[in-house]
Amino acid sequence: MRINYILLFPLLCGMLASCADRKEFTIEGKISDAKDKTVYFEKAGVSRTVVLDSAKLKGNGTFKFEQPAATTPEYFRLRLDNQYINLSVDSTETVRVDANAGEFATGYSVTGSAESEKIKTVTLEAMNLRRRLVELDKQYAARKINAQTFSEEVNAAVAAYKKKVTPFIFENPRAAVAYYTLFQRVNGLLIFDPYLKGDYPAYGAVATSWDTFYKGSERAAQLYDITLNALRLQKQGNAPVADFSNVQEQNQIEIVLPDIKGKQIRLSDMKGKVVLLDFTAYQAEYSGPYNIALAKIYDKFKQKDFVIYQVSLDNDEHFWKTTASNLPWITVRDKEGVYSKYARSYNVTSLPTSYLLDRDGAIVSRGGSVQELESKITKLL
């Protein structure tokens, strides 16, 4: 068979050029004490995580993954059993990870990616915060501390965490670690809340930088939408609402909880009336005087389509029932206590916390003195 070398030469050159132009990044390393275990390489997207590759480890524990390089920062993770190592890659670099199977998520080292090293620092700080919150939860469950003390200690722990990791956001808002830090969750709680005025500047800084340098990317669009919504709600006075996955018409987040007789009471059933939504704990020292103040407001407006929907976060059901039975307004209890998803959705960070809702169920204001509440309720009625 005769080969036309004149035609074959351009084809080979094209193939070689294509190989030379192909850009990839590499994740490689070694995991000791992990023989026959499988390490997974995953991509952490905005809405879901997908497995890109995997490798069954041999005696030496080495692994190597290669993927096409991205033009914007992307986030990946190595998974071994139920432990994770978070990484970021935005070019053709080679990142090396060395770890031990027993301390895979905490005792690893990473080289070749300054952003991944910083992400490790943020991750370890988040783990420390998680351990502190678990410790406080145990103390609260054992009644060694009351709900108010629990709330104060949680706030102090979160504040300390923020102080340590905030520099990673503002030193270089376009960096991968800045975005990663913003979206860290601990026990399901988004630590940096875009709907809190104190945290909004962090989101604004990262959103602006990503829109400038990575315009058109999925994450830049996500940041833009979040900051735009947060700014709009702050202007409307509704900034405390933090979780919009459950927001219904007029920005109301539905709550369905049982009263002392076990009947499920829906917050949305209160539409048509002015509602004081109140999160509290009857076991707290403030509770007695606080409920007396609420009673004065309730007595003044109860004949004018005004209701109080009070959510107890007490861990003692019997204590709650005994106290609630003496109150004239709607009282319900969330058995999840201070880890209530409803409290988290309304961004309750301390007790008591209240919200005033108009007849359409829209949040008008958060908290305020008795005098301020009376004035606002009068205007709504």
Side-chain angles (χ1 to χ4, degrees):
M1 180 179 179
R2 187 177 180 181
I3 300 176
N4 191 331
Y5 289 99
I6 295 176
L7 295 177
L8 184 59
F9 181 74
L11 178 61
L12 289 172
C13 289
M15 291 175 64
L16 290 172
S18 176
C19 291
D21 291 339
R22 188 171 61 186
K23 296 181 178 180
E24 295 181 334
F25 69 86
T26 302
I27 305 291
E28 62 183 16
K30 179 179 179 180
I31 305 173
S32 59
D33 300 328
K35 183 180 179 181
D36 294 330
K37 287 182 176 289
T38 299
V39 59
Y40 295 90
F41 183 51
E42 303 173 334
K43 181 178 180 179
V46 171
S47 58
R48 65 193 182 105
T49 299
V50 296
V51 177
L52 298 177
D53 204 348
S54 64
K56 187 172 183 179
L57 300 171
K58 297 180 180 180
N60 60 8
T62 60
F63 64 90
K64 183 176 183 178
F65 301 114
E66 294 180 330
Q67 289 291 322
T71 56
T72 62
E74 291 293 346
Y75 300 86
F76 303 90
R77 66 186 193 184
L78 295 172
R79 172 166 59 90
L80 185 72
D81 298 328
N82 292 319
Q83 299 185 79
Y84 303 92
I85 292 175
N86 294 286
L87 305 166
S88 177
V89 178
D90 63 359
S91 64
T92 58
E93 67 237 69
T94 295
V95 181
R96 181 173 179 85
V97 177
D98 292 291
N100 179 282
E103 299 176 324
F104 185 73
T106 57
Y108 69 93
S109 65
V110 55
T111 56
S113 171
E115 289 302 294
S116 294
E117 292 181 58
K118 293 175 182 177
I119 282 175
K120 176 187 177 182
T121 300
V122 174
T123 300
L124 294 180
E125 290 296 344
M127 288 181 177
N128 290 335
L129 174 59
R130 186 176 294 109
R131 281 192 288 268
R132 175 57 178 158
L133 296 184
V134 169
E135 176 188 343
L136 289 171
D137 185 48
K138 290 180 179 179
Q139 293 180 20
Y140 179 69
R143 300 184 187 177
K144 293 182 179 179
I145 57 175
N146 59 30
Q148 184 66 21
T149 300
F150 177 92
S151 178
E152 291 172 354
E153 291 295 325
V154 167
N155 288 338
V158 170
Y161 166 80
K162 283 184 175 180
K163 184 177 181 180
K164 291 179 180 178
V165 303
T166 294
F168 288 111
I169 297 175
F170 289 103
E171 284 176 357
N172 184 7
R174 66 177 286 191
V177 69
Y179 177 98
Y180 179 83
T181 303
L182 279 183
F183 290 97
Q184 281 293 287
R185 287 182 178 270
V186 176
N187 294 346
L189 177 67
L190 189 63
I191 302 301
F192 284 90
D193 184 348
Y195 304 101
L196 283 179
K197 290 184 178 180
D199 289 347
Y200 177 80
Y203 278 87
V206 179
T208 300
S209 293
W210 280 59
D211 188 57
T212 300
F213 294 99
Y214 312 121
K215 196 174 186 66
S217 70
E218 186 178 14
R219 297 183 193 278
Q222 175 203 28
L223 286 163
Y224 177 83
D225 289 341
I226 289 174
T227 53
L228 188 65
N229 281 333
L231 182 60
R232 175 176 58 82
L233 287 166
Q234 286 182 23
K235 289 180 178 179
Q236 294 176 354
N238 296 333
V241 181
D243 183 354
F244 285 86
S245 61
N246 297 321
V247 174
Q248 301 178 353
E249 292 183 4
Q250 302 296 333
N251 296 328
Q252 185 190 83
I253 302 173
E254 179 66 291
I255 296 178
V256 185
L257 289 170
D259 64 8
I260 59 176
K261 295 181 180 180
K263 181 181 178 181
Q264 298 291 323
I265 309 296
R266 306 177 71 90
L267 177 61
S268 60
D269 289 342
M270 306 300 116
K271 280 192 175 181
K273 298 182 179 182
V274 174
V275 181
L276 182 66
L277 170 61
D278 184 63
F279 292 88
T280 190
Y282 298 151
Q283 291 171 281
E285 294 180 2
Y286 68 78
S287 182
Y290 180 69
N291 279 337
I292 290 174
L294 287 186
K296 294 179 180 178
I297 296 175
Y298 182 74
D299 289 341
K300 184 173 182 177
F301 297 108
K302 64 182 179 182
Q303 302 298 330
K304 301 179 182 180
D305 287 335
F306 171 74
V307 297
I308 295 177
Y309 187 98
Q310 192 170 55
V311 180
S312 164
L313 302 182
D314 290 278
N315 60 350
D316 189 325
E317 182 178 13
H318 177 73
F319 188 95
W320 162 68
K321 284 185 176 180
T322 301
T323 305
S325 64
N326 297 313
L327 299 175
W329 50 77
I330 297 170
T331 60
V332 295
R333 173 177 172 267
D334 192 333
K335 65 180 181 180
E336 297 300 322
V338 291
Y339 286 122
S340 163
K341 66 177 182 181
Y342 297 120
R344 187 164 64 246
S345 293
Y346 278 91
N347 195 37
V348 175
T349 58
S350 62
L351 298 175
T353 293
S354 62
Y355 297 87
L356 191 60
L357 283 59
D358 66 16
R359 293 180 185 271
D360 292 322
I363 298 174
V364 175
S365 66
R366 174 176 180 165
S369 65
V370 173
Q371 293 75 16
E372 290 173 332
L373 277 175
E374 289 185 359
S375 176
K376 292 175 182 178
I377 292 170
T378 300
K379 291 178 181 179
L380 292 174
L381 293 173

